[in-house]
Amino acid sequence: MPSGDALPWTRSDASPWTRNDALVAVGAAVVDLIGFTLTSQVDLGYVPAVGCVLLMVSALPLVARRRAPVPTLAAVLLLGLVLNLSVPVAQHFNATVVVALYTVVRTRGAAVAVPASLVAVTLPLVGQTSWPRPRLVDVAGNVSAGALVVIAAIVMNHWQRDIEANRRMLADRAVADERRRIARELHDIVAHHITTMQLMAGGARANLGGDPEVVREALVTLEGSGRMALREMRQLLDVLRAGDEAEEAPTAPQPGVGDLERLVAESCRAGLPTALEVRGEERPLPPSVGLTVFRVVQEALTNARKYAGEARASVRLTYEPDGVAVEVSDDGAGVSTAFGSGSGYGLVGMRERAVLHRGTLEAGPLDQGGFRVSARLPLTADERLPQETGVTGVGALR
């Protein structure tokens, strides 16, 4: 964002105003009406009906203050001028002008905010009882009120910038941490494949003078493991970052789709009734893909237990001809803060894993209530090879 520019308020929908805008307009009108009523009663002995109507009308433009802050301020000032010229009562820097000016300073740069502030301070003096020679107390009151509004808006802008910068820093840190975690897990998988290749090569060498079929199956498994290890090594290099600490790779592979039943059982024991449904013809998946499916389900069920309240969850794993899809949904009344705002770090991690495999991930509340996390991971022809080359060689050597 260019230096000196204010933070813009953006909205994703097409509505020109929100319920909060309407409440702000009503609140400003009520405050102005109370002040106008008390002042009129003291100065005139009665409350002019025209003044009340004009005060309420002057607050109506506030409903569009986020979409058109400068025209809103102009409309408020013009209606206030009509009020000043219509009712012979000393007017002041009222709440409607405060809200309109605050919005302009918050959403526009200095080139617009400075002249807008000067006009907002000066124009309410026109038509007052002391016009055309306004009293010093009226000028000082307007200048002080305008300065307080401008200072409050500037302070709020700086505070919001700091919050946004901190949020981006935390999000970047979460992405970096998740990528390091993915790299470590892929390192474990690659190490497991290389260990398998070593065992297959040793088994083939030991059977060179024996059964040729055993040697052939071992070599087929060795070829498939080598191809898979090479592909996942490329993925590992994509996510590794400089400065990572070296860790010993465990001999056991990372969890995969075969561990989903354990996740579901743990979720049920933790108080969230969960059902697992598998569609399509089951087949072996590349370990990195299976790990991604496992982590997506794990993170989604964890958030469901935290935020869904009294609810039931379901996990649906679908084997497709060219990929695999997983969906985790619940019927709870709560919306996970880790997903609802779009800035949750759990969602960041799951998306990082899906993108690593050229996949997609969607998360959001359901129309009928509850929350859904859905991921789809495509598989290339090479990634479907484990289905064919599988573990026959391993079985032959046991």
Side-chain angles (χ1 to χ4, degrees), residues 91-104:
Q91 301 298 318
H92 301 284
F93 203 85
N94 58 26
T96 302
V97 177
V98 168
V99 173
L101 177 59
Y102 175 83
T103 304
V104 170

Side-chain angles (χ1 to χ4, degrees), residues 20 22 34 101 109 121 165-166 186 205 238 339 364 398:
N20 289 340
I34 294 175
L101 177 59
V121 169
N166 187 57
L186 286 176
R205 178 179 56 81
D238 288 338
F339 301 119
R398 283 181 177 174

